[in-house]
Amino acid sequence: MIITPCPADLKHLDFFSSLEEGELALLSQRAVLKRLSPGEALFHEGEPLDPALRFLYSGSLQVRRTSRSGKETILRLIRKGEMFGVAPLFDRKLAPGSALATEPTEVLEIRLEDLMTYLTHEPAIAMKLLVTFAQRIRELQDTLHAVVSGRARTRLARVILGTLDQGGATALKDDLRLKTKLPHATLSRMVGITYEECVRLMREWSHEPEVVRYERGGVIIVCDRRELERQASED
């Protein structure tokens, strides 16, 4: 389902929060808000991807990629307010992965041609875009290094810490409960290990002294962040 957003919808996103009402009104006329049901794809791997600025307005998305052998890997978890799908703005190539909604989700899009008209008058927005693109490159470099050189436990620790830092956590006395749920199936695909190995590693962390505790539905509780960071730093 596609609807036309109002200026307040853009103001809701940090990326546009500094813009004036008139500027927001101009952009909102060219933007669309796409509503996705759980399991519905915004785009599929290998398909032509229209150059556009995309933000997750609400809900959540997983970007998945499938290897030739059929193994599926979760490249990214997109969180509320994040910009994603930036690369096609520059190279106009095919989608590198499939973006699927994991719950009722809304995505705000502004087409490249409409964006470029605006950027000629607002170069500060162009700089924000370049900074975001650079961040994505660094994240991909870190992921590649972890997969190539890191042990399974190290990679798992890094994924949990990265999710904690990006998605936030709720304080529970001395523990931290991640706001983002990470079921075993999701974790194993993000780390590049089997489901069974993921379960085993999580169980080992739950033994005394507890480092991480896993609860039903993908709830992750970090009990000893310092120890988790130590294990994440191991090569």
Side-chain angles (χ1 to χ4, degrees):
M1 180 179 179
I2 299 177
I3 62 175
T4 301
C6 64
D9 292 326
L10 272 68
K11 188 75 172 180
H12 176 75
L13 298 167
D14 288 342
F15 191 86
F16 300 111
S17 60
S18 62
L19 300 184
E20 301 294 334
E21 293 300 323
E23 297 168 333
L24 291 169
L26 179 63
L27 277 177
S28 65
Q29 292 173 7
R30 299 296 183 181
V32 296
L33 196 60
K34 296 183 177 180
R35 290 179 174 170
L36 306 173
S37 302
E40 186 176 356
L42 177 66
F43 52 78
H44 292 280
E45 179 181 352
E47 289 184 348
L49 189 58
D50 291 335
L53 202 60
R54 295 177 175 88
F55 296 90
L56 183 60
Y57 186 79
S58 67
S60 61
L61 286 170
Q62 288 183 354
V63 179
R64 305 176 184 179
R65 188 168 188 172
T66 305
S67 68
R68 291 182 179 179
S69 64
K71 182 179 180 181
E72 188 177 66
T73 301
I74 297 177
L75 300 179
R76 282 187 66 197
L77 296 178
I78 312 297
R79 299 172 181 83
K80 182 178 178 180
E82 280 194 64
M83 184 197 303
F84 64 99
V86 177
L89 282 172
F90 301 93
D91 59 24
R92 295 177 179 269
K93 292 186 178 180
L94 304 180
S98 300
L100 289 90
T102 59
E103 59 183 291
T105 295
E106 293 178 310
V107 175
L108 188 141
E109 291 187 358
I110 302 175
R111 295 187 308 166
L112 176 61
E113 49 264 45
D114 298 318
L115 177 65
M116 293 305 294
T117 299
Y118 184 78
L119 291 182
T120 57
H121 303 290
E122 293 292 338
I125 297 296
M127 288 304 300
K128 282 189 176 182
L129 184 61
L130 290 174
V131 168
T132 299
F133 190 55
Q135 289 173 341
R136 295 292 174 267
I137 293 176
R138 284 195 295 270
E139 289 171 3
L140 288 173
Q141 288 174 332
D142 291 342
T143 300
L144 179 61
H145 178 267
V147 170
V148 171
S149 62
R151 298 184 303 167
R153 186 187 301 276
T154 301
R155 301 199 304 270
L156 186 58
R158 290 173 180 173
V159 166
I160 292 174
L161 286 170
T163 304
L164 187 156
D165 291 336
Q166 294 175 29
T170 301
L172 303 173
K173 266 194 168 181
D174 298 327
D175 302 336
L176 294 170
R177 181 176 62 201
L178 272 64
K179 292 182 179 180
T180 303
K181 292 185 178 181
L182 294 173
H184 287 125
T186 300
L187 272 174
S188 60
R189 289 197 293 269
M190 292 179 71
V191 177
I193 58 178
T194 64
Y195 180 94
E196 292 74 17
E197 186 174 12
C198 181
V199 172
R200 178 182 63 80
L201 290 172
M202 295 299 289
R203 283 178 177 170
E204 289 180 0
W205 271 337
S206 68
H207 295 160
E208 294 292 343
E210 267 190 326
V211 178
V212 175
R213 184 166 69 253
Y214 180 94
E215 296 184 353
R216 185 184 297 273
V219 176
I220 304 291
I221 298 174
V222 177
C223 307
D224 189 341
R225 174 163 186 163
R226 182 173 296 181
E227 173 59 21
L228 192 64
E229 288 175 339
R230 186 192 67 77
Q231 294 189 29
S233 65
E234 295 178 345
D235 290 326

